[in-house]
Amino acid sequence: MLAPKGLGVSDLKVERGRSTDDYDASTFVKELESILPFDNVTAERFSTKTEFTKLGGPQYVIVVIKSQETGKEGMVVVPVTVVEAPLAYVSVTDTIKLNEVEPEKEVVKGSGEVTYGGFSDVNISVKTAPTIKLTNDLGDDIVDLNVYKSNKPLKDGELLTTLNQSNKSFSFDLITHKSKFKKVSAYKGKMKVIFEIP
């Protein structure tokens, strides 16, 4: 009994730092067929785990396909090109805690950082709102925190920074006045940071 046949999808790109475990084998093959007209051929798995560590191509993965009628397996060799995925290498501080840093001015401040740990020579625009809202546990008090870059308040529509090979990390501050906190309570908020490649 002849093994089922198929073709690899053309111009496939995979991301460096990932492996075949991160992909669905069925998306790598097409035009699967059997010698039996009523048969159904499916993509079962990759034959071995492949780590995508080296940029460029072609590199090859093998997809195991199977006849549902006969149980016979075949293999499809699929060329892929490994590309850099810069946005997979960006990060931002998980938690920022506020501390009273200038008691005489009653200023509270917290610091965070955005970083790029990738290898591509790209420019990554970093955006966020100039104001972050904090809400206390009971939800009856809201405090605005101002985002500062280079000791100046971030303006509406202004980039926080641009990350690249020569600027792989950038620190920012969240600042407000102690007097704005009206309750003795824990305050929490979320800061949305957007990374884009223009």
Side-chain angles (χ1 to χ4, degrees), residues 20-193:
T20 45
D21 288 350
D22 299 309
Y23 293 94
D24 180 352
S26 66
T27 63
F28 281 60
V29 291
K30 63 181 182 179
E31 298 178 30
L32 304 183
E33 58 182 46
S34 166
I35 59 168
L36 303 173
F38 51 85
D39 197 0
N40 182 34
V41 179
T42 56
E44 295 291 300
R45 63 190 181 279
F46 293 100
S47 64
T48 58
K49 179 179 177 177
T50 302
E51 301 276 355
F52 304 119
T53 57
K54 184 179 177 183
L55 288 174
Q59 298 176 39
Y60 298 92
V61 296
I62 298 174
V63 176
V64 178
I65 59 175
K66 184 178 180 180
S67 161
Q68 299 304 298
E69 286 295 322
T70 67
K72 188 81 172 174
E73 290 185 342
M75 294 191 181
V76 180
V77 178
V78 185
V80 298
T81 300
V82 180
V83 297
E84 187 67 271
L87 295 183
Y89 296 95
V90 293
S91 63
V92 64
T93 306
D94 286 335
T95 303
I96 299 173
K97 293 184 179 180
L98 298 177
N99 297 296
E100 191 172 359
V101 291
E102 296 182 56
E104 68 281 359
K105 296 182 181 177
E106 292 200 333
V107 170
V108 291
K109 175 180 171 182
S111 297
E113 187 178 50
V114 289
T115 59
Y116 170 55
F119 310 100
S120 292
D121 189 17
V122 295
N123 290 317
I124 301 172
S125 298
V126 184
K127 301 176 182 178
T128 191
T131 305
I132 312 300
K133 293 195 178 296
L134 297 183
T135 307
N136 69 335
D137 287 343
L138 297 176
D140 59 357
D141 190 31
I142 297 174
V143 174
D144 286 344
L145 282 178
N146 297 311
V147 179
Y148 275 67
K149 58 179 277 188
S150 305
N151 296 317
K152 294 180 180 178
L154 185 69
K155 297 174 184 174
D156 196 27
E158 182 183 10
L159 286 180
L160 182 61
T161 189
T162 298
L163 295 174
N164 50 40
Q165 288 298 321
S166 59
N167 182 39
K168 294 183 78 87
S169 65
F170 183 82
S171 296
F172 61 89
D173 297 314
L174 303 179
I175 298 175
T176 193
H177 285 88
K178 186 178 177 181
S179 60
K180 291 189 177 182
F181 295 89
K182 305 299 184 188
K183 308 284 183 177
V184 179
S185 180
Y187 286 75
K188 294 181 180 178
K190 291 185 178 180
M191 180 179 182
K192 182 179 180 181
V193 179

